[in-house]
Structures are given as C-alpha cells and as structure tokens.
Amino acid sequence: MDRSVTCPPMAEPEQTTRDVPADLMDRVVNLCKRRGFVFPSAEIYGGFRSTYDYGPIGVLMLRNVKDAWWRTMVQLRTDVVGIDASILSPPAVWEASGHLKNFTDPLVDCTACKQRFREDHLDDPNVCPNCGKRDSFTEARNFNLMFKTHAGPVESSAAVAYLRPETAQGMFVNFANVLNTSRKRPPFGIAQVGKSFRNEITPGNFVFRTREFEQMELEFFVPPDQGSYWYDYWCRARLDWYVDHGIDRDRLRLRPHDADELSHYSAGTSDVEFLFPWGWGELEGIANRTDYDLTQHAQHSGADLSYFDQETNTRYVPHVIEPAAGATRSMMAFLIAAYDEEEVRGETRTVLRLHHRIAPYKIAVLPLSKKQPLTDLTREILAELQPTWMCDYDETQAIGRRYRRQDEIGTPFCVTVDFDTVEDRAVTVRERDSMAQERVPIAELTGYLAARLR
Ligand code: GAP
C-alpha cells in the first residue's frame, strides 16, 4: 500500500435538528446522582471544586468506556502496545515538552465582583459575565495549568514535581524503552489510559471540564512520509469508534482546526465533536505532531530517539499522529446520547439505550420470589453468567418496577427466574430497547446471550 497517499476528505452527513428536551442535562445529572453513576466529591463537606466521584454504576460504565477503547486500540491490533506511566514527573519532562512555558490560559479578574475568567472564553471581552460591569477586567496574565507538588519531605525547588496534565509525555519518554523491548517498528503505536490533572480556571458542565479527569491516548509513530496518510486514517477511525459504540452519526462531527488554532508544530489537528445540550464540544483531538515531541526529548535528555530502518537503510525521527480522547468526557457523551424517555402504558419509561459494551451491567438476574426453590436456581444461573459478564441481582419489588430500574441504568438483558423455571428449566429473557421477552432454556442461556453481547 502506498502510505504517502492522503485519503479523500470525509463527507459530513446532513445535520438534523433534534428534539432534545431543554433540561436534558439536568435530567442526566439527576439520574447520575440518583442511580449511583457520579457523585460530587466530598459531598458531605459541601463538595470540592468541580471534582467528582464515580459510584457503583458509574465506575462500571467508566471502566467499560476505557475497556472499549483499549479493545479497539490495542487488543484488536498488532501494531499498538500499551504502557502505564507514572502520574508524577520531574520538571525536565515538562520543560522539554513545552508545558512549563506554554501550557497556560490567559486569566482576567473582574475588579468589581472579584470573579476570575479565562479571557478566551468570554463572549464579550469588555463585559463581566457575572456582574455585568463594563471594562472592569485586569490585564490578562498567563496562568500555568499544571499542578505542582514536591516529591519527598523537603519543599525545595530541587524537589519540585508535577502531576501530568496529559498522559502523552509518558509515551514519548518511553519511546526507546518500548522500541527496544516490544519488537515493534514504525508505523506502530503506544497507548495509555489514565488520570490527568489540569488546574482549569473555569471547570464546569458536570464532568465535561474537571481538574482531575481520565484520558485515553495513542501516540502512533510513523515514517515521516506517512504522516499525512495516518492522520487521515486516525481521523476516520476515531470518529467511527464513537458511532460503533452507539452514538448517532448526526450527533458527531469532525472539525479540522483553522490555521490560527494549530500549535506551531502541528501539521494538522481535527477534533471529534459531540452535540452536547449546550452545543458542539470536543471529545477527542487527532493531531499530526510531526517529529516535535521526540526531537524535543532527544535534545533535552541527550537520548537518541531516532529509528534506524534496516530495510531502507535510513535513519529518521518518527513523526507522531496522536488521537487523544477524554474517558470521563466520553462517558458523559455516551450518557447524554443514550438517555431517552418514552410513554409505556401511560407511564414514562426512562431508558439508557447504551451500547452493550458500554452498559454498566450486561445482565440483571431477577427471581420472581426470594424463596426456595428459586433461590438455588438463581444462584446456579448467576454462577454460570458472572464469570463472563457483569451481572446485577435484584430480588425486591414487583418485576415491572425492577425492569424499569434496569432500563434506567441501561442493562441490555433481564433474566427472570419464575416458578415455571423449576418445571421447564427455562427463563424469560427481556431485551431493554424493544422490551421483547423470550423463553430460553437455561442450558442455552449462555450461548443466547453471548450471541447478542459480542
Ligand atoms: N495530548 C494531547 C491532549 O492532551 P487535549 O485536547 O488537551 O490533548 C485530550 O486533551 C482530551 O482530553 C480532550 O479532547 C478531552 O476529551 C479530554 N480533556 C482535556 N481536558 C479535560 C478536562 N479538564 N476535563 C475533562 N476532560 C478533559
């Protein structure tokens, strides 16, 4: 394949206007709190500055988002390996990457109400959005977003360390280690999923912008003449990933950055954007970072980060294509995209139409009674299903109400164990979206579900 050829640009589908309830965001946030997806952090102390905790259901969903990404980006490929680098790192890394100098936001203070804003986020740079006062802002000053700390007991400048503001640098500083141990050669990638920290001036919109969040990043190292090919490849692949995991195509778009938005080293950046209730917002950026990162780290560390290609007898510094996604932000998009309310027999059914790979639980096992002989049968069924799938178990309330509870958290299948099960060794399987029910022999249950939860 000639990898120097650039793919034709992707056709954008027609954008449709959607009938989205005005308070959709409130409904989703409310569901998150009520059902244990996301809680405000340190809530019993009044919360803590836009930080959030993921509850029993949320931790499953967030894990599924990250696992789905890892499955696509690492497990199903032969040209990507993973790492898990440290969160704390020395200033030298951030000096080389440019973060110490450039990872700043322009900050202004309103002299009237004392509120602080990002200058580039103001609708009108002359009017305070909080108190409405005109020409009340201080001069903009650059505010570095990295969290600084000290490693060890002495708070001296020699002990300064930073919490990483992106996972990406862990891949660059380990480039030679991975190259020497993995037997990969360009084009190949290093993937990482983990926490990042940014001292955002204006966090907000629930978990859209927080100071502590999770990223899913791939650094894909390619021969210089293949940069353009792989940039187009990853733009397409990453947009498709969200569609493949259940977000309607008309709620997504790929937005190429204008020339004045590009970093000085970028030969192209596009964002995958999702139509949030307040408008389009970035889920992921795909950047052609050229040889900037490896060159910077080679210069600052003195390490040789070039690659010698024995086939072509050439030495080069690989170029990097970087699809960088937010896990927590993507989870929020999956929740919003899946949230639905419909009338069923005169009642409102709230249902999360999540892709089964993203859904917190795959199956709920529901005995009609919590007495024998159904208890033993339910245990038997759980023992069969639990090694493969995350299963919920609920034995209280009327079965209709239990179905609704599972709909609300997006469980694709409910398995009901009733008194007929004792006689015919079959269960009722109810599918979330259609609410269709089917009688399935216990002996065939695993195969039945496996075919639908692939
Ligand atoms: N290494 C490149 C990089 O970090 P970025 O666009 O700054 O690029 C990548 O971040 C993704 O990380 C974003 O598209 C977004 O999904 C997520 N992200 C960034 N800052 C975030 C924040 N404060 N809160 C939640 N997610 C964030």
Side-chain angles (χ1 to χ4, degrees):
M1 192 194 331
D2 179 2
R3 293 207 159 120
S4 63
V5 174
T6 299
C7 302
M10 275 191 268
E12 283 292 326
E14 268 182 53
Q15 300 295 330
T16 55
T17 24
R18 290 182 155 265
D19 191 14
V20 178
D23 62 348
L24 173 63
M25 202 53 220
D26 291 343
R27 294 185 203 204
V28 171
V29 173
N30 188 298
L31 176 74
C32 283
K33 177 82 198 297
R34 187 159 43 82
R35 293 309 311 275
F37 283 87
V38 180
F39 307 124
S41 192
E43 198 181 10
I44 59 169
Y45 293 100
F48 180 60
R49 295 167 177 253
S50 293
T51 51
Y52 292 92
D53 298 339
Y54 290 75
I57 311 292
V59 74
L60 297 177
M61 182 168 172
L62 181 57
R63 181 173 293 216
N64 291 343
V65 170
K66 294 184 286 184
D67 285 351
W69 185 91
W70 191 268
R71 178 179 180 275
T72 303
M73 304 295 274
V74 184
Q75 186 181 334
L76 297 180
R77 304 185 67 97
T78 54
D79 57 359
V80 176
V81 292
I83 60 163
D84 190 1
S86 72
I87 286 173
L88 280 177
S89 39
V93 171
W94 308 108
E95 181 76 50
S97 69
H99 281 78
L100 273 177
K101 193 163 162 230
N102 301 322
F103 198 55
T104 56
D105 279 341
L107 191 76
V108 289
D109 291 298
C110 172
T111 49
C113 69
K114 312 292 178 215
Q115 285 282 320
R116 192 161 277 184
F117 303 95
R118 259 180 78 168
E119 190 186 40
D120 55 334
H121 279 185
L122 290 170
D123 287 336
D124 182 339
N126 301 312
V127 179
C128 173
N130 186 47
C131 68
K133 187 104 182 172
R134 181 162 272 281
D135 298 328
S136 60
F137 290 125
T138 56
E139 282 289 300
R141 58 204 163 83
N142 281 333
F143 171 75
N144 196 294
L145 299 184
M146 284 197 294
F147 278 101
K148 194 179 189 176
T149 187
H150 293 89
V154 183
E155 292 200 4
S156 68
S157 58
V160 165
Y162 291 91
L163 301 189
R164 65 182 179 197
E166 60 171 22
T167 59
Q169 299 304 321
M171 276 84 97
F172 299 132
V173 299
N174 278 294
F175 172 74
N177 283 338
V178 174
L179 195 64
N180 293 335
T181 54
S182 67
R183 297 169 59 82
K184 299 289 175 202
R185 55 192 297 274
F188 84 102
I190 310 179
Q192 182 172 202
V193 174
K195 288 227 168 175
S196 293
F197 302 82
R198 294 181 190 179
N199 200 359
E200 299 280 3
I201 299 162
T202 47
N205 280 334
F206 197 38
V207 297
F208 181 83
R209 182 173 288 104
T210 49
R211 296 198 169 100
E212 177 179 344
F213 55 97
E214 288 205 67
Q215 289 187 305
M216 311 181 288
E217 295 196 283
L218 171 70
E219 307 304 327
F220 201 71
F221 301 94
V222 303
D225 62 347
Q226 293 180 17
S228 171
Y229 168 86
W230 285 107
Y231 171 66
D232 287 337
Y233 170 94
W234 282 114
C235 283
R236 281 164 195 266
R238 292 309 304 151
L239 186 79
D240 288 349
W241 183 82
Y242 295 94
V243 178
D244 292 346
H245 290 85
I247 299 185
D248 287 345
R249 178 64 181 84
D250 67 357
R251 259 178 136 155
L252 293 163
R253 72 178 185 190
L254 194 66
R255 188 184 68 80
H257 282 204
D258 293 333
D260 61 355
E261 279 181 274
L262 290 177
S263 322
H264 61 279
Y265 51 79
S266 174
T269 298
S270 292
D271 290 342
V272 177
E273 294 187 336
F274 173 72
L275 191 52
F276 285 96
W278 62 86
W280 291 102
E282 175 189 335
L283 291 180
E284 166 161 2
I286 300 107
N288 181 347
R289 301 179 63 104
T290 64
D291 61 357
Y292 174 79
D293 306 281
L294 291 181
T295 303
Q296 284 291 110
H297 283 298
Q299 278 170 3
H300 281 74
S301 67
D304 179 5
L305 299 180
S306 65
Y307 173 73
F308 181 69
D309 186 340
Q310 287 177 335
E311 272 177 24
T312 57
N313 209 23
T314 51
R315 180 171 288 283
Y316 60 84
V317 176
H319 283 211
V320 169
I321 311 302
E322 178 198 65
T328 37
R329 194 178 282 186
S330 296
M331 172 174 154
M332 182 174 159
F334 282 120
L335 278 170
I336 292 167
Y339 186 93
D340 196 14
E341 289 179 15
E342 62 180 12
E343 282 291 297
V344 179
R345 287 186 287 280
E347 281 187 17
T348 304
R349 170 172 101 116
T350 300
V351 53
L352 283 186
R353 300 187 192 279
L354 289 169
H355 187 281
H356 63 77
R357 225 170 268 142
I358 303 292
Y361 291 110
K362 314 301 171 201
I363 303 156
V365 181
L366 313 172
L368 266 195
S369 147
K370 45 186 163 183
K371 298 203 181 102
Q372 287 292 19
L374 299 199
T375 318
D376 280 352
L377 270 171
T378 305
R379 268 203 208 108
E380 184 192 322
I381 290 166
L382 275 171
E384 171 73 21
L385 303 181
Q386 276 177 318
T388 312
W389 297 290
M390 195 73 213
C391 299
D392 197 7
Y393 168 73
D394 187 1
E395 58 177 23
T396 50
Q397 292 188 323
I399 193 69
R401 283 184 73 91
R402 281 187 267 169
Y403 284 154
R404 291 289 178 275
R405 286 179 60 77
Q406 295 301 328
D407 291 341
E408 227 181 20
I409 59 170
T411 310
F413 292 102
C414 289
V415 171
T416 307
V417 186
D418 57 27
F419 290 100
D420 289 342
T421 309
V422 185
E423 305 301 326
D424 64 2
R425 291 199 56 84
V427 288
T428 301
V429 179
R430 177 204 183 252
E431 197 271 332
R432 177 195 67 204
D433 292 346
S434 62
M435 296 183 283
Q437 301 191 7
E438 211 175 326
R439 201 76 186 155
V440 179
I442 293 176
E444 293 168 24
L445 186 59
T446 299
Y448 177 94
L449 292 166
R452 289 158 179 80
L453 292 170
R454 281 172 60 81

